[in-house]
């Protein structure tokens, strides 16, 4: 049962439209298992499911509820690749290793789709994703990317002219689109809850309202919670932006970033169809981007306005509505039934930060706003490593990551200043 005063899920359309799981019991006393997992989001749940199916005894500790963090609040866009460009990975690892990681991201997308089908997770998956430029320089760069992805990565993408895009998207704002048929979108919280159901059916024990306060490394590492502790052969740290001092070395390499999403009232099938005729997800090519898609009940879900200061932007509702109306003037005055936010974690280079803290302590973080498919891949690779096959996870562990400058006191103001420059560049260049 949930403890007195437990908050449950923050208000959102996701929480309002998902079928909740019964609250899982708080950890009490000392428990033993093969693998202890910190965090019941996509990474932790996917790792737990794969490990349980391989015969391991797994316990997951969640500070709030399943999918309470980024996994239950994100934009729902599942996109092949990572939070950084392939050119960044090439610079960090070389072309051959960058190709290995890209192919793994394609595998991660296939795993996501297979997981949904195999476990019959009702998360309203839809195919298709469009990346849309607002300026000529962005269009030129995207068209170059299409050629490079086909020639160097054997990955087919389509360029749509402005007229072709307009046949699917009811907005005159964009100059064309890169269309990716292999990517898509889903209901994020429903997917997390479905993963949890599949994991529990495989034997995983989940304890909600059990925040990990301390990780003690050793031959059998221990996760300490307020009313109990778990001793295990292996630990998986999958807390991302919500570690709260448990692993300072990891926290120094990520920055929590707030992101915000609004859900309009139900528009009806006819009006919704005029906005996005083929049901694809869309994001623009700005650094401070807007992204949007339709829900299964014919709402527009519109996201953007990232905050790097840990505080919501002032006048958020009005800002979000003006941005939505800039894309879709036909929705002027419609507004939002729901408006919510949450944290994602970014690394300095936006590349994924996955690997080991110790011989028997694994982690994954730094999805940089691109984690719906990649987080499941991370969980799968960690499960493989714990089961004795670590070479695929090691490919990510070779990426070098540096702490954010400024320490705890100054790194947020420094990042806010840097992001102000990027927003100015979006506007002027």
């Amino acid at each position: 049962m949930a403890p007195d005063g437990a908050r449950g899920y923050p208000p959102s359309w996701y929480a309002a439209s998902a079928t909740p799981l019964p609250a899982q019991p708080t950890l009490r006393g000392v428990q033993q298992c093969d693998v202890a997992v910190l965090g019941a989001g996509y990474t932790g749940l996917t790792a737990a499911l794969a490990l349980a199916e391989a015969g391991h005894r797994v316990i997951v500790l969640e500070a709030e509820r399943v999918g309470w963090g980024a996994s239950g609040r994100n934009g729902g866009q599942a996109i092949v690749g990572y939070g950084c460009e392939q050119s960044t990975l090439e610079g960090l690892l070389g072309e051959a290793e960058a190709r290995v990681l890209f192919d793994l991201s394609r595998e991660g997308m296939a795993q996501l789709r297979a997981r949904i089908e195999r476990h019959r997770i009702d998360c309203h998956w839809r195919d298709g994703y469009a990346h849309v430029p607002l300026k000529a320089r962005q269009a030129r760069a995207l068209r170059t990317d299409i050629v490079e992805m086909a020639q160097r990565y054997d990955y087919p993408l389509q360029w749509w002219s402005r007229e072709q895009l307009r046949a699917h998207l009811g907005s005159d704002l964009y100059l064309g689109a890169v269309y990716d048929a292999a990517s898509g979108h889903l209901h994020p919280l429903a997917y997390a809850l479905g993963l949890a159901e599949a994991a529990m059916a495989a034997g995983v024990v989940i304890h909600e309202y059990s925040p990990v306060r301390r990780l003690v490394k050793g031959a059998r590492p221990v996760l300490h919670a307020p009313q109990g502790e778990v001793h295990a052969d292996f630990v998986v740290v999958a807390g991302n932006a919500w570690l709260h001092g448990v692993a300072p070395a990891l926290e120094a390499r990520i920055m929590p970033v707030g992101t915000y999403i609004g859900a309009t009232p139900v528009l009806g099938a006819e009006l919704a169809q005029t906005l996005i005729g083929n049901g694809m997800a869309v994001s623009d090519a700005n650094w401070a981007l807007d992204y949007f898609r339709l829900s299964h009940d014919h709402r527009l879900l519109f996201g953007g306005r990232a905050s790097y200061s840990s505080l919501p932007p002032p006048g958020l509702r009005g800002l979000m509505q003006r941005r939505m109306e800039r894309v879709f003037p036909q929705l002027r005055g419609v507004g939002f039934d729901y408006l919510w936010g949450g944290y994602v974690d970014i690394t300095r280079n936006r590349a994924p930060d996955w690997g080991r803290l110790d011989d028997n302590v694994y982690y994954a973080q730094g999805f940089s706003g691109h984690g719906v498919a990649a987080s499941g891949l991370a969980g799968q690779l960690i499960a493989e490593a714990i089961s004795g096959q670590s070479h695929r996870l090691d490919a990510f562990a070779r990426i070098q990551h540096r702490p954010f400058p400024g320490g705890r006191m100054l790194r947020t103001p420094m990042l806010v200043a840097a992001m102000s420059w990027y927003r100015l560049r979006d506007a002027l260049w």
Side-chain angles (χ1 to χ4, degrees), residues 293-336:
R293 61 193 184 91
L294 296 175
S295 69
H296 65 276
D297 64 347
H298 309 300
R299 302 172 188 266
L300 182 71
L301 306 179
F302 190 92
R305 289 307 303 166
S307 170
Y308 295 84
S309 68
S310 79
L311 297 173
L316 177 63
R317 183 174 290 271
L319 285 170
M320 293 287 287
Q321 183 160 344
R322 288 193 293 274
R323 292 177 79 93
M324 179 180 72
E325 291 174 356
R326 180 171 176 248
V327 178
F328 295 112
Q330 60 269 49
L331 296 183
R332 184 165 287 113
V334 169
F336 299 113

Side-chain angles (χ1 to χ4, degrees), residues 395-426:
F396 290 88
R398 285 191 281 273
I399 299 174
Q400 295 296 309
H401 289 277
R402 294 183 293 164
F404 278 87
R408 282 187 174 272
M409 294 297 293
L410 296 178
R411 65 179 186 163
T412 294
M414 293 174 70
L415 186 63
V416 170
M419 293 308 107
S420 297
W421 155 246
Y422 281 112
R423 288 196 179 104
L424 182 63
R425 189 188 72 169
D426 284 343

